[in-house]
Amino acid sequence: MADSGTSIRAVALVCSLKPSPAESSSALIVEHVFETLRAHDVHCDVVRCVDYNIAPGTDADMGDSDQWPQIREKLLAADILLVSTPTWVGHASSVAQRVLERLDAELSNNDDQGRPAMFGKVAIVAAVGNEDGAHKIAADMFQALNDIGYTIPAQGSTYWNGPAMNSTDYKDLDEVPEATASTNAMVARNAAHLARVLRQSQYPPVE
């Protein structure tokens, strides 16, 4: 059953190294989280970051052919951000790191009451891979996203790790394990709930 209240928006930044239309475990877990978000009256949008030219840097617009400004507009319009990344050598992908570097510009982007622009927005994280590292990825991502101004819900991350030194990916599973499926749904429910709470009661203005 959908939550009561105004419909909210979510955008997922899929930080796979694979451009569309290649299959991506990072994209698939986003769809699984979005299934619950949509059931809670959340409009969902997906951006596969590697399909865009995201220039290196820490400004909102790096000029020339930089396409980050197109993505940034989606982030500013959204109530929920989901960052989904594969695990490579125990860390988030290089694409995810570049996303964080570009989001750094929002620290100096304030609203009319002096609050950073991302105050009042919710961030959640998904990580997939056939090696360990998901907890470290969530910790690193949450620290950065919270610094930028996002609010993290209770148990706001989901992940799937395959057996060590194995070639099976999340997208290859015949069925998502119950623990991961239930966590996907819980993360979505908690994010939708928190986004509505913050929509109704924003953080105080900067004095």
Side-chain angles (χ1 to χ4, degrees):
M1 178 179 295
D3 290 343
S4 60
T6 304
S7 179
I8 56 178
R9 304 180 68 87
V11 61
L13 299 185
V14 176
C15 297
S16 171
L17 302 183
K18 300 173 182 176
S20 300
E23 291 185 342
S24 162
S25 293
S26 300
L28 181 59
I29 198 169
V30 162
E31 287 305 317
H32 292 162
V33 174
F34 274 6
E35 286 174 7
T36 300
L37 280 176
R38 293 187 182 104
H40 286 260
D41 196 26
V42 178
H43 175 83
C44 299
D45 190 16
V46 179
V47 174
R48 193 179 298 202
C49 292
V50 77
D51 291 341
Y52 293 78
N53 178 34
I54 302 176
T58 57
D59 292 336
D61 187 345
M62 298 301 297
D64 297 327
S65 58
D66 182 26
Q67 293 182 304
W68 176 256
Q70 299 174 33
I71 299 172
R72 180 175 179 267
E73 288 302 314
K74 295 178 182 289
L75 300 179
L76 292 173
D79 303 283
I80 299 169
L81 167 62
L82 167 55
V83 179
S84 180
T85 178
T87 306
W88 287 113
V89 291
H91 299 274
S93 72
S94 57
V95 178
Q97 181 62 33
R98 181 159 296 187
V99 163
L100 293 179
E101 291 164 355
R102 296 305 301 271
L103 279 169
D104 184 74
E106 303 311 322
L107 287 170
S108 58
N109 177 27
N110 297 331
D111 66 15
D112 56 7
Q113 298 194 58
R115 296 172 297 221
M118 299 309 180
F119 269 35
K121 298 181 184 296
V122 173
I124 52 179
V125 169
V128 291
N130 52 22
E131 58 180 294
D132 195 11
H135 282 179
K136 183 182 187 302
I137 288 172
D140 290 346
M141 298 296 292
F142 282 155
Q143 179 62 57
L145 292 165
N146 185 252
D147 282 349
I148 290 161
Y150 283 96
T151 301
I152 312 303
Q155 299 184 342
S157 67
T158 187
Y159 68 93
W160 177 84
N161 286 138
M165 299 182 181
N166 194 286
S167 60
T168 300
D169 292 329
Y170 185 81
K171 62 181 175 58
D172 300 324
L173 299 176
D174 294 330
E175 184 178 4
V176 177
E178 173 56 29
T180 300
S182 61
T183 302
N184 290 344
M186 179 186 63
V187 168
R189 289 194 303 269
N190 290 355
H193 170 76
L194 182 57
R196 287 194 166 90
V197 169
L198 291 172
R199 174 78 73 84
Q200 295 170 7
S201 183
Q202 177 58 286
Y203 288 104
V206 174
E207 298 180 356

